[in-house]
């Protein structure tokens, strides 16, 4: 019975991570089934009793606790409850992965990481399957980029969250730093093909933040390779040169170049913001200005879990940010968002989680977890990661997994020492 329950749990976790890039709403069903499954295993009674004795679990659920407290001084209770519903993953997924510690199934890490990559590849096939017929009909190349390319699934920046981590997993596996179901030298070619597909996918999505993240993560990989002397320097230097040329080419693609040109233009005129602009970078600057202004007015407790939308709208209206007001722009920074909603406590709860993430990644010499932490730190500064299902389920899934199941998530013995396959 226990073996069967463990297999079902692993299957549902794989289905959850597979559906994250494709259809996030379906993950609500698999998470609900995972919670229900907990009550069929008697061993989980001990898990439930020990939950609040584990400081890592407590730290993970702190943001949810402060969201819950802040709802009591919200004016818009309906919106507050909606936010709590979205935030449920902050407590549900840590509980699930706390139970997963007792799962005796084999190849757990291989299955979970592999199913994310499969999900990303399937998402790419879906996007291409829609784009190619449209291109053949209209002959417009923009169909293969940005919103025109990803709209069939979700926004390009949300979809790029998953693509960048799939790339990191594949590179880590090629360096023997993370486990995948694809094992052996004969499958190296397939991994490289998947890596190329995911990299092309990332640039087609043309998300500025994740493209910059790609560059940062590549620098981390090359530094690691050079320091650990995994590849001779005479080979590493040509690889770096080729990567620079490829990156330069991809960044010069018209749609990608236009996105970055707008970014640089917005930074050049940051001191003179265009209040009427609908350009994404200008809207984000308006959101940051509004967020800081609201925090100054509510420095301790914030405005309440349900009042963020109204506080932002009022600030835009009072300060004539027409574009941001019409588009209902949110903070696009989770640290600021949490501060606005639940004050100093909410902000510090996030800081504490990231301190724990980097500390545990360093302590356990968990390279993939370190890369995940870097990716999340950047995304938390440019996205409302805990305000939307696409961000919060993704963050809670892998963060809970890495923190609460460190041995499972690095069960490949080569993750501490580099060995040949």
């Amino acid at each position: 019975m226990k073996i069967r329950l463990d297999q079902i749990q692993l299957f549902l976790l794989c289905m959850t991570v597979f559906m994250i890039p494709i259809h996030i709403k379906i993950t609500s069903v698999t998470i609900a089934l995972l919670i229900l499954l907990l009550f069929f295993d008697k061993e989980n009674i001990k898990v439930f009793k020990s939950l609040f004795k584990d400081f890592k679990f407590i730290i993970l659920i702190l943001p949810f606790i402060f969201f819950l407290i802040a709802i009591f001084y919200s004016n818009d209770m309906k919106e507050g409850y909606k936010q709590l519903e979205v935030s449920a993953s902050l407590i549900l997924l840590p509980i699930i992965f706390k139970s997963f510690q007792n799962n005796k199934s084999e190849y757990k890490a291989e299955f979970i990481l592999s199913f994310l990559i499969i999900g990303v590849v399937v998402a790419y096939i879906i996007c291409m399957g829609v784009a190619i017929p449209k291109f053949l009909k209209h002959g417009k190349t923009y169909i293969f980029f940005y919103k025109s390319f990803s709209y069939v699934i979700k926004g390009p920046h949300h979809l790029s969250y998953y693509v960048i981590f799939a790339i990191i997993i594949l590179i880590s596996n090629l360096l023997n730093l993370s486990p995948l179901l694809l094992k052996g030298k004969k499958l190296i070619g397939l991994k490289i093909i998947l890596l190329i597909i995911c990299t092309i996918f990332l640039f087609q999505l043309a998300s500025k933040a994740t493209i910059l993240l790609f560059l940062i993560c590549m620098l981390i990989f090359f530094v690691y390779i050079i320091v650990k002397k995994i590849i001779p320097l005479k080979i590493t230097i040509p690889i770096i040169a080729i990567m620079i040329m490829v990156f330069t080419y991809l960044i010069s693609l018209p749609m990608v170049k236009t996105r970055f040109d707008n970014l640089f233009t917005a930074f050049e005129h940051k001191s003179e913001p265009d209040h009427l602009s609908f350009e994404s970078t200008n809207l984000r600057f308006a959101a940051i200005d509004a967020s800081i202004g609201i925090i100054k007015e509510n420095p301790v407790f914030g405005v309440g879990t349900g009042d963020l939308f109204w506080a932002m709208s009022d600030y835009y209206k009072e300060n004539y940010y027409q574009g941001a007001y019409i588009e209902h722009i949110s903070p696009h920074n989770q640290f600021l968002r949490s501060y606005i909603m639940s004050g100093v406590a909410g902000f510090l709860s996030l800081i504490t989680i990231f301190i724990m993430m980097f500390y545990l990644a360093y302590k356990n010499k968990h390279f993939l977890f370190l890369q995940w932490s870097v990716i999340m730190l950047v995304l938390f500064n440019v996205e409302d990661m805990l305000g939307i299902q696409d961000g919060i389920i993704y963050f809670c899934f892998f963060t809970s997994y890495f923190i609460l199941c460190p041995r499972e998530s690095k069960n490949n013995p080569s993750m501490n020492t580099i060995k040949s396959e």
Side-chain angles (χ1 to χ4, degrees):
M1 181 64 175
K2 170 64 176 171
I3 295 174
R4 187 64 64 195
L5 289 173
D6 286 350
Q7 290 173 341
I8 295 172
Q9 185 183 44
L10 179 58
F11 170 78
L12 288 173
L13 284 171
C14 288
M15 286 301 98
T16 302
V17 75
F18 171 75
M19 292 308 304
I20 285 175
I22 300 170
H23 200 303
I24 197 72
K25 292 189 182 299
I26 294 179
T27 62
S28 299
V29 177
T30 56
I31 291 172
L33 291 173
L34 282 163
I35 291 295
L36 182 63
L37 189 68
L38 298 180
F39 296 96
F40 288 88
D41 190 344
K42 294 180 180 179
E43 289 187 15
N44 286 326
I45 296 175
K46 296 178 182 178
V47 172
F48 296 146
K49 290 181 178 179
S50 66
L51 283 178
F52 291 96
K53 294 180 182 179
D54 187 340
F55 80 93
K56 292 183 287 187
F57 173 82
I58 294 172
I59 290 174
L60 282 173
I61 68 171
L62 278 178
F64 181 83
I65 292 173
F66 292 123
F67 285 154
L68 180 61
I69 293 171
I71 200 173
F72 292 107
Y73 53 88
S74 297
N75 292 318
D76 190 339
M77 298 295 284
K78 183 178 180 180
E79 184 63 30
Y81 288 130
K82 189 186 297 184
Q83 176 63 48
L84 281 183
E85 184 181 347
V86 172
S87 304
S89 299
L90 284 166
I91 191 166
L92 295 180
L93 283 166
I95 291 173
I96 290 167
F97 279 107
K98 186 69 178 172
S99 167
F100 193 60
Q101 292 175 340
N102 298 322
N103 190 301
K104 300 298 190 295
S105 301
E106 292 185 333
Y107 306 115
K108 291 184 286 186
E110 286 88 343
F111 273 107
I112 288 174
L113 296 178
S114 296
F115 267 83
L116 175 68
I117 293 171
I118 294 170
V120 167
V121 172
V122 170
Y124 186 65
I125 292 171
I126 293 170
C127 290
M128 288 295 288
V130 173
I132 290 174
K134 290 179 66 177
F135 173 74
L136 293 175
K137 182 178 180 179
H138 302 288
K140 304 293 185 180
T141 56
Y142 73 82
I143 289 169
F144 291 103
F145 291 94
Y146 198 44
K147 293 179 181 179
S148 300
F149 185 58
S150 73
Y151 80 94
V152 67
I153 295 180
K154 61 186 69 185
H157 50 300
H158 294 158
L159 191 50
S160 69
Y161 301 165
Y162 322 128
V163 180
I164 183 66
F165 193 47
I167 292 171
I168 300 308
I169 292 171
L170 284 165
I171 296 176
S172 296
N173 182 260
L174 287 169
L175 294 175
N176 226 6
L177 292 169
S178 64
L180 283 176
L181 290 174
L182 301 171
K183 295 183 179 181
K185 292 183 179 179
K186 294 181 179 179
L187 293 175
I188 289 177
L190 177 58
K191 295 175 191 176
I192 292 174
I193 291 171
L194 291 174
L195 178 59
I196 292 171
I197 291 171
C198 290
T199 303
I200 293 171
F201 192 11
L202 183 72
F203 280 84
Q204 284 181 270
L205 294 172
S207 172
K208 294 170 286 190
T210 43
I211 289 175
L212 291 174
L213 256 175
F214 175 81
L215 180 59
I216 292 170
C217 291
M218 291 307 101
L219 288 173
I220 293 173
F221 272 119
F222 283 123
V223 169
Y224 184 87
I225 289 169
I226 293 170
V227 171
K228 294 292 184 179
K229 298 179 180 179
I230 296 173
I231 301 174
L233 200 59
K234 62 181 181 180
I235 298 177
T236 304
I237 292 175
I239 291 175
I240 293 174
I242 292 171
M243 285 292 295
I244 292 172
M245 287 188 289
V246 172
F247 182 84
T248 303
Y249 169 74
L250 291 174
I251 208 77
S252 65
L253 293 171
M255 178 61 76
V256 180
K257 184 176 182 298
T258 299
R259 298 270 294 151
F260 277 92
D261 285 344
N262 290 338
L263 173 66
F264 298 138
T265 301
F267 268 101
E268 287 176 5
H269 298 89
K270 187 179 177 182
S271 58
E272 302 173 356
D274 183 358
H275 288 204
L276 302 179
S277 175
F278 287 85
E279 195 277 323
S280 61
T281 304
N282 280 309
L283 292 176
R284 287 171 185 259
F285 284 149
I288 291 172
D289 183 43
S291 299
I292 294 173
I294 295 167
I295 288 170
K296 288 179 179 179
E297 294 172 1
N298 306 271
V300 180
F301 299 108
V303 300
T305 303
D307 293 355
L308 178 137
F309 171 80
W310 302 110
M312 297 290 289
S313 293
D314 289 345
Y315 189 93
Y316 294 143
K317 188 175 182 179
E318 292 168 5
N319 292 275
Y320 307 105
Y321 282 108
Q322 184 175 333
Y325 179 77
I326 293 173
E327 293 292 322
H328 308 296
I329 299 300
S330 60
H332 279 82
N333 181 305
Q334 187 56 52
F335 295 107
L336 294 177
R337 183 187 182 93
S338 291
Y339 203 133
I340 291 170
M341 290 196 300
S342 49
V344 175
F347 173 76
L348 291 179
S349 68
L350 292 186
I351 298 296
T352 304
I353 288 177
F354 275 97
I355 290 172
M356 178 173 65
M357 288 168 65
F358 281 101
Y359 170 73
L360 292 175
Y362 174 78
K363 179 184 176 182
N364 296 321
K365 297 179 181 179
H366 200 319
F367 191 76
L368 187 60
F369 186 17
L370 176 63
Q371 291 278 52
W372 169 259
S373 302
V374 171
I375 290 171
M376 287 299 108
L377 181 61
V378 173
L379 290 180
F380 266 59
N381 277 285
V382 296
E383 298 288 355
D384 299 303
M385 290 295 288
L386 305 186
I388 52 171
Q389 273 191 311
D390 289 293
I392 195 167
I393 292 176
Y394 185 49
F395 171 75
C396 293
F397 187 98
F398 281 106
T399 301
S400 300
Y401 176 50
F402 286 134
I403 288 176
L404 297 175
C405 305
R407 281 179 289 184
E408 283 76 10
S409 62
K410 55 176 291 186
N411 67 352
N412 185 335
S414 65
M415 289 191 71
N416 285 321
T417 56
I418 307 300
K419 298 177 183 178
S420 60
E421 293 190 13

